[in-house]
Amino acid sequence: MSSSSKLRLITFLGSTRKKRANDAVAKFVQSRVSVNGSFENIATLDPRDTENGFFTRLMDKAYFHYKISEGESPPTELENTAKVLREADCFLIITPEYNHSIAPGLSNIMSYFGSSFYGFKPSGVATYSAGNWGGTRAGVALRPFLSELGCLPVSAQAHIPTVWKKMSNGELHPEETHVKMTDNMLKQLSWHAHAMREHTLKNGLPK
């Protein structure tokens, strides 16, 4: 992998609801990813739809608990997702706030995999809510969660309040401040991801 190539980005969605704003918010954020120009979004992992809804079930056994060296095989759905995660340089979390905290579907899909998949790769966070806080409390709760997985979140986050009032015909119509917040988060994510990838290519990972 060349240090000058685009950053391989994996996006996680948070909502598992049938009717959700997550798709519209993700479309907006991905449009800003395109404007930034540093990233190639290689996959979007959706706890509702990825691997035919496998991740809507509560986690029974994490990927890293399967003793592959002893011939124990993880489910195909986990193996497929693991292959995708291994390719990432950085992560983007686009999620609503559930009960003033992290969406359970998001924590479920991410927790199947350990720090060997996420470590030394940064993350960015964009949240939204139907209320006036824009999912900021979920954003705060995600900081220790993502840090423990190893994908340290950048300091800038994007938050979109009263999301349903900003939508029509399935499209989000963000305010200028939301565009600026998203762009700032992506600039930081790009900087950190380039720095981490460059250092990893030159020096490897700590042992």
Side-chain angles (χ1 to χ4, degrees), residues 107-159:
S107 61
N108 193 57
I109 188 172
M110 294 194 75
S111 294
Y112 269 98
F113 307 93
S115 60
S116 62
F117 289 90
Y118 301 112
F120 307 99
K121 301 173 182 180
S123 59
V125 174
T127 68
Y128 64 91
S129 70
N132 292 325
W133 296 100
T136 53
R137 290 163 292 198
V140 170
L142 279 166
R143 290 193 182 279
F145 175 75
L146 296 171
S147 296
E148 286 299 317
L149 287 176
C151 49
L152 301 178
V154 299
S155 62
Q157 295 188 346
H159 307 292

Side-chain angles (χ1 to χ4, degrees), residues 8 30 87 92 99 132 157-158 201:
R8 296 165 299 184
Q30 289 295 343
E87 297 299 314
L92 178 59
N99 295 321
N132 292 325
Q157 295 188 346
L201 288 170

